[in-house]
Amino acid sequence: MWNHPREDDEYRPWDEPATPVTPPAASPPGTPPANPGRTGSQWRNRLGAIAILLATAAVIAFKLFLPSLLPHHDSPKVTFPGTPTGLPKGFAPVDPEHPFRGTPANLWPQGADGVQLPAAEAVGRYSADQVAAAEARAKQLITVARLDQHVLETGDPEPVLALLSQGTVDTIRPQLTPGNASRTPWLTTKLAAGNKLLPTPPRVDGSMSAELDDKGALSIKTNYIVAYAFQAPDQTAITDPMDIIVLVREQVEYIWIDDPRYDQPSQGMHFGKIQGHTYNADCDWFNKGYLAATYGRTTSHGGATQPRSPSQYFDPTIPLPTESNC
């Protein structure tokens, strides 16, 4: 699990000034505010502090808790109602054209269609149009970071960075160095070398909502599970869909800045709280920051057994799991 815990004393860009600044009522675009409070450069400096803390917390949590939940070696094989079991090796009930059949993800929308936007409504001083723009950008970020084939296969973060505020990009970019993949699972999903997805698009389920956070900023909260179906080296040996399916769940808060008090590099999307969880992945690859299926192998490194039924990991409405056996 990777996370950036939100605490009452969490350092946020708008928490640090000695004198709290109350966001003013919305003014016409381009109109200089009578009392601008903080300058754009101050916003970016404070943004840098929070983003660095976010990344640090993500690294610590990733190393300690990030789960790649597999059935423990003493646990029964993961099965769902309607999934054939006890079949001899060489018989392949898993149709590679319908790999999610027999799992809850079979009923989910494909790809970006699963990232459904709520009806945009005005939130506080933010108009319905501003909220719609922020929600659309959040969908773009989810789609590119978790579903884009180029990003998945190459690990290229640039398509994601292009959707963020320049201040956020300036803070994140130094972390994107070769060999640092294990520290940035919160930014993109990266397939392990030699591992490919089946042509069937990933399935997606979850929700998105817009609200004001406790400081009056527009917060877009997202909670989605992406189910990936991998192409096995020997597809005829796959007798259980969970031998090739991996789930990645992301709870990401995006902070949308559309405010004339701040300069242009401060406008756009910033990261707020981030939490994530991965289920049924290959532990060895996972601990390096990459995603691969188990293909029926047990790669558990010990640790926690499954405290809930397999189907619950497909449910985005339950609390984010924290246990791991990697």
Side-chain angles (χ1 to χ4, degrees), residues 161-198:
L161 299 181
L163 299 172
L164 298 168
S165 70
Q166 187 58 52
T168 297
V169 172
D170 292 343
T171 302
I172 293 175
R173 191 176 293 284
Q175 304 171 45
L176 306 177
T177 56
N180 210 32
S182 65
R183 297 172 180 259
T184 56
W186 51 270
L187 186 63
T188 62
T189 296
K190 298 172 279 291
L191 302 185
N195 290 261
K196 295 184 178 181
L197 300 180
L198 287 168

Short mmCIF file of all heavy atoms in Angstrom, two decimals, residues 161-198:
data_model
loop_
_atom_site.label_atom_id
_atom_site.label_comp_id
_atom_site.label_asym_id
_atom_site.label_seq_id
_atom_site.Cartn_x
_atom_site.Cartn_y
_atom_site.Cartn_z
N LEU A 161 2.64 13.80 -16.80
CA LEU A 161 3.13 15.11 -16.37
C LEU A 161 2.50 16.23 -17.17
O LEU A 161 2.28 17.33 -16.65
CB LEU A 161 4.66 15.16 -16.50
CG LEU A 161 5.46 14.14 -15.68
CD1 LEU A 161 6.95 14.34 -15.89
CD2 LEU A 161 5.11 14.24 -14.20
N ALA A 162 2.19 15.96 -18.43
CA ALA A 162 1.60 16.99 -19.29
C ALA A 162 0.23 17.43 -18.82
O ALA A 162 -0.26 18.49 -19.22
CB ALA A 162 1.51 16.48 -20.73
N LEU A 163 -0.40 16.66 -17.94
CA LEU A 163 -1.74 16.98 -17.45
C LEU A 163 -1.73 17.64 -16.08
O LEU A 163 -2.78 17.97 -15.55
CB LEU A 163 -2.57 15.69 -17.38
CG LEU A 163 -2.78 14.96 -18.71
CD1 LEU A 163 -3.44 13.61 -18.48
CD2 LEU A 163 -3.62 15.81 -19.66
N LEU A 164 -0.55 17.84 -15.51
CA LEU A 164 -0.42 18.42 -14.17
C LEU A 164 0.04 19.87 -14.25
O LEU A 164 0.55 20.33 -15.27
CB LEU A 164 0.59 17.61 -13.35
CG LEU A 164 0.23 16.15 -13.09
CD1 LEU A 164 1.43 15.40 -12.54
CD2 LEU A 164 -0.95 16.05 -12.13
N SER A 165 -0.13 20.59 -13.15
CA SER A 165 0.37 21.96 -13.10
C SER A 165 1.88 21.97 -13.23
O SER A 165 2.56 21.01 -12.85
CB SER A 165 -0.04 22.62 -11.77
OG SER A 165 0.68 22.04 -10.70
N GLN A 166 2.41 23.04 -13.75
CA GLN A 166 3.86 23.12 -13.94
C GLN A 166 4.59 23.05 -12.61
O GLN A 166 5.67 22.45 -12.50
CB GLN A 166 4.23 24.41 -14.66
CG GLN A 166 5.71 24.50 -15.04
CD GLN A 166 6.14 23.36 -15.93
OE1 GLN A 166 5.51 23.09 -16.95
NE2 GLN A 166 7.21 22.66 -15.56
N GLY A 167 4.00 23.64 -11.56
CA GLY A 167 4.63 23.56 -10.25
C GLY A 167 4.75 22.13 -9.74
O GLY A 167 5.75 21.75 -9.14
N THR A 168 3.71 21.33 -9.98
CA THR A 168 3.76 19.93 -9.58
C THR A 168 4.81 19.17 -10.38
O THR A 168 5.57 18.37 -9.84
CB THR A 168 2.37 19.28 -9.77
OG1 THR A 168 1.43 19.92 -8.92
CG2 THR A 168 2.41 17.80 -9.45
N VAL A 169 4.85 19.42 -11.68
CA VAL A 169 5.82 18.75 -12.54
C VAL A 169 7.24 19.05 -12.09
O VAL A 169 8.10 18.16 -12.01
CB VAL A 169 5.63 19.17 -14.01
CG1 VAL A 169 6.76 18.62 -14.89
CG2 VAL A 169 4.28 18.69 -14.52
N ASP A 170 7.51 20.31 -11.76
CA ASP A 170 8.86 20.70 -11.34
C ASP A 170 9.29 19.95 -10.08
O ASP A 170 10.48 19.70 -9.87
CB ASP A 170 8.92 22.21 -11.09
CG ASP A 170 8.77 23.01 -12.38
OD1 ASP A 170 8.95 22.44 -13.47
OD2 ASP A 170 8.47 24.22 -12.28
N THR A 171 8.32 19.60 -9.24
CA THR A 171 8.64 18.88 -8.00
C THR A 171 8.79 17.39 -8.23
O THR A 171 9.66 16.75 -7.64
CB THR A 171 7.54 19.14 -6.95
OG1 THR A 171 7.43 20.54 -6.73
CG2 THR A 171 7.86 18.44 -5.64
N ILE A 172 7.95 16.83 -9.09
CA ILE A 172 7.97 15.39 -9.32
C ILE A 172 9.15 14.94 -10.17
O ILE A 172 9.75 13.89 -9.93
CB ILE A 172 6.65 14.94 -9.99
CG1 ILE A 172 5.48 15.12 -9.02
CG2 ILE A 172 6.74 13.50 -10.46
CD1 ILE A 172 4.14 14.80 -9.64
N ARG A 173 9.50 15.73 -11.18
CA ARG A 173 10.46 15.28 -12.17
C ARG A 173 11.79 14.76 -11.58
O ARG A 173 12.33 13.75 -12.05
CB ARG A 173 10.73 16.39 -13.19
CG ARG A 173 11.53 15.90 -14.40
CD ARG A 173 11.69 17.00 -15.43
NE ARG A 173 10.45 17.40 -16.06
CZ ARG A 173 9.82 16.68 -17.00
NH1 ARG A 173 10.31 15.51 -17.38
NH2 ARG A 173 8.69 17.11 -17.52
N PRO A 174 12.36 15.41 -10.55
CA PRO A 174 13.63 14.88 -10.02
C PRO A 174 13.53 13.45 -9.47
O PRO A 174 14.55 12.77 -9.34
CB PRO A 174 13.97 15.88 -8.90
CG PRO A 174 13.28 17.14 -9.31
CD PRO A 174 12.00 16.70 -9.93
N GLN A 175 12.32 12.99 -9.15
CA GLN A 175 12.16 11.64 -8.63
C GLN A 175 12.14 10.59 -9.75
O GLN A 175 12.27 9.40 -9.48
CB GLN A 175 10.85 11.53 -7.85
CG GLN A 175 10.72 12.54 -6.71
CD GLN A 175 9.33 12.52 -6.12
OE1 GLN A 175 8.77 11.47 -5.87
NE2 GLN A 175 8.76 13.69 -5.91
N LEU A 176 11.96 11.04 -10.98
CA LEU A 176 11.78 10.12 -12.10
C LEU A 176 13.11 9.78 -12.74
O LEU A 176 13.37 10.08 -13.91
CB LEU A 176 10.81 10.72 -13.12
CG LEU A 176 9.46 11.15 -12.53
CD1 LEU A 176 8.60 11.80 -13.59
CD2 LEU A 176 8.74 9.96 -11.90
N THR A 177 13.95 9.13 -11.97
CA THR A 177 15.29 8.77 -12.44
C THR A 177 15.35 7.26 -12.69
O THR A 177 14.58 6.49 -12.10
CB THR A 177 16.34 9.16 -11.40
OG1 THR A 177 16.01 8.54 -10.14
CG2 THR A 177 16.37 10.68 -11.22
N PRO A 178 16.25 6.80 -13.54
CA PRO A 178 16.39 5.36 -13.79
C PRO A 178 16.64 4.60 -12.49
O PRO A 178 17.40 5.04 -11.63
CB PRO A 178 17.60 5.29 -14.72
CG PRO A 178 17.62 6.61 -15.43
CD PRO A 178 17.15 7.61 -14.40
N GLY A 179 15.96 3.48 -12.34
CA GLY A 179 16.11 2.66 -11.15
C GLY A 179 15.25 3.09 -9.98
O GLY A 179 15.36 2.52 -8.89
N ASN A 180 14.39 4.07 -10.20
CA ASN A 180 13.58 4.61 -9.11
C ASN A 180 12.12 4.18 -9.21
O ASN A 180 11.25 4.77 -8.57
CB ASN A 180 13.65 6.14 -9.10
CG ASN A 180 13.48 6.72 -7.71
OD1 ASN A 180 13.87 6.11 -6.73
ND2 ASN A 180 12.90 7.90 -7.64
N ALA A 181 11.82 3.15 -10.00
CA ALA A 181 10.43 2.76 -10.25
C ALA A 181 9.71 2.35 -8.98
O ALA A 181 8.51 2.59 -8.84
CB ALA A 181 10.38 1.63 -11.26
N SER A 182 10.41 1.75 -8.04
CA SER A 182 9.76 1.27 -6.81
C SER A 182 9.25 2.42 -5.95
O SER A 182 8.46 2.20 -5.03
CB SER A 182 10.72 0.41 -6.00
OG SER A 182 11.83 1.17 -5.54
N ARG A 183 9.71 3.64 -6.25
CA ARG A 183 9.30 4.80 -5.45
C ARG A 183 8.18 5.61 -6.08
O ARG A 183 7.73 6.59 -5.49
CB ARG A 183 10.52 5.71 -5.20
CG ARG A 183 11.62 5.06 -4.40
CD ARG A 183 12.86 5.94 -4.34
NE ARG A 183 13.92 5.30 -3.56
CZ ARG A 183 14.21 5.61 -2.31
NH1 ARG A 183 13.51 6.52 -1.67
NH2 ARG A 183 15.20 4.98 -1.68
N THR A 184 7.73 5.21 -7.27
CA THR A 184 6.72 6.03 -7.94
C THR A 184 5.52 5.22 -8.44
O THR A 184 4.99 5.50 -9.51
CB THR A 184 7.35 6.77 -9.13
OG1 THR A 184 7.96 5.82 -10.03
CG2 THR A 184 8.38 7.78 -8.67
N PRO A 185 5.04 4.23 -7.68
CA PRO A 185 3.86 3.50 -8.15
C PRO A 185 2.61 4.35 -8.12
O PRO A 185 1.62 4.05 -8.79
CB PRO A 185 3.76 2.33 -7.16
CG PRO A 185 4.34 2.89 -5.91
CD PRO A 185 5.49 3.76 -6.36
N TRP A 186 2.63 5.42 -7.31
CA TRP A 186 1.47 6.30 -7.20
C TRP A 186 1.28 7.17 -8.44
O TRP A 186 0.21 7.73 -8.64
CB TRP A 186 1.62 7.20 -5.96
CG TRP A 186 2.95 7.91 -5.88
CD1 TRP A 186 4.09 7.46 -5.29
CD2 TRP A 186 3.27 9.18 -6.43
NE1 TRP A 186 5.10 8.37 -5.43
CE2 TRP A 186 4.63 9.45 -6.12
CE3 TRP A 186 2.54 10.14 -7.14
CZ2 TRP A 186 5.27 10.62 -6.51
CZ3 TRP A 186 3.18 11.31 -7.53
CH2 TRP A 186 4.53 11.54 -7.22
N LEU A 187 2.30 7.25 -9.28
CA LEU A 187 2.21 8.11 -10.46
C LEU A 187 1.69 7.36 -11.68
O LEU A 187 0.78 7.84 -12.37
CB LEU A 187 3.58 8.73 -10.77
CG LEU A 187 3.60 9.76 -11.90
CD1 LEU A 187 2.74 10.96 -11.55
CD2 LEU A 187 5.03 10.19 -12.21
N THR A 188 2.24 6.18 -11.96
CA THR A 188 1.83 5.39 -13.13
C THR A 188 1.91 3.91 -12.82
O THR A 188 2.61 3.49 -11.89
CB THR A 188 2.74 5.66 -14.35
OG1 THR A 188 4.08 5.26 -14.03
CG2 THR A 188 2.71 7.11 -14.77
N THR A 189 1.21 3.12 -13.62
CA THR A 189 1.37 1.66 -13.60
C THR A 189 2.35 1.28 -14.69
O THR A 189 2.24 1.74 -15.83
CB THR A 189 0.02 0.96 -13.84
OG1 THR A 189 -0.86 1.27 -12.75
CG2 THR A 189 0.20 -0.55 -13.93
N LYS A 190 3.33 0.42 -14.33
CA LYS A 190 4.37 0.03 -15.27
C LYS A 190 4.42 -1.50 -15.36
O LYS A 190 4.59 -2.17 -14.35
CB LYS A 190 5.72 0.58 -14.81
CG LYS A 190 5.77 2.12 -14.75
CD LYS A 190 7.04 2.62 -14.10
CE LYS A 190 6.99 2.57 -12.59
NZ LYS A 190 6.03 3.55 -12.02
N LEU A 191 4.26 -2.03 -16.56
CA LEU A 191 4.31 -3.47 -16.74
C LEU A 191 5.76 -3.96 -16.64
O LEU A 191 6.69 -3.31 -17.11
CB LEU A 191 3.74 -3.87 -18.10
CG LEU A 191 2.29 -3.47 -18.39
CD1 LEU A 191 1.85 -4.06 -19.72
CD2 LEU A 191 1.35 -3.91 -17.27
N ALA A 192 5.92 -5.12 -16.03
CA ALA A 192 7.25 -5.72 -15.91
C ALA A 192 7.76 -6.15 -17.28
O ALA A 192 6.98 -6.51 -18.17
CB ALA A 192 7.20 -6.91 -14.97
N ALA A 193 9.05 -6.10 -17.45
CA ALA A 193 9.67 -6.49 -18.72
C ALA A 193 9.27 -7.91 -19.09
O ALA A 193 9.27 -8.82 -18.25
CB ALA A 193 11.19 -6.39 -18.62
N GLY A 194 8.91 -8.10 -20.35
CA GLY A 194 8.53 -9.42 -20.83
C GLY A 194 7.10 -9.80 -20.54
O GLY A 194 6.66 -10.90 -20.90
N ASN A 195 6.35 -8.91 -19.90
CA ASN A 195 4.96 -9.18 -19.56
C ASN A 195 4.05 -8.28 -20.39
O ASN A 195 4.28 -7.06 -20.47
CB ASN A 195 4.70 -8.94 -18.07
CG ASN A 195 5.36 -9.98 -17.19
OD1 ASN A 195 4.71 -10.92 -16.75
ND2 ASN A 195 6.65 -9.83 -16.94
N LYS A 196 3.05 -8.86 -20.99
CA LYS A 196 2.11 -8.10 -21.82
C LYS A 196 0.68 -8.40 -21.41
O LYS A 196 0.38 -9.49 -20.89
CB LYS A 196 2.30 -8.47 -23.29
CG LYS A 196 3.65 -8.07 -23.87
CD LYS A 196 3.71 -8.38 -25.36
CE LYS A 196 5.03 -7.94 -25.96
NZ LYS A 196 5.10 -8.23 -27.43
N LEU A 197 -0.18 -7.42 -21.66
CA LEU A 197 -1.60 -7.62 -21.41
C LEU A 197 -2.23 -8.31 -22.62
O LEU A 197 -1.77 -8.18 -23.75
CB LEU A 197 -2.30 -6.29 -21.16
CG LEU A 197 -1.82 -5.46 -19.97
CD1 LEU A 197 -2.62 -4.18 -19.87
CD2 LEU A 197 -1.92 -6.25 -18.67
N LEU A 198 -3.31 -9.03 -22.35
CA LEU A 198 -4.10 -9.57 -23.44
C LEU A 198 -4.75 -8.42 -24.20
O LEU A 198 -4.90 -7.31 -23.66
CB LEU A 198 -5.18 -10.51 -22.89
CG LEU A 198 -4.68 -11.87 -22.38
CD1 LEU A 198 -5.79 -12.57 -21.60
CD2 LEU A 198 -4.19 -12.73 -23.53
#
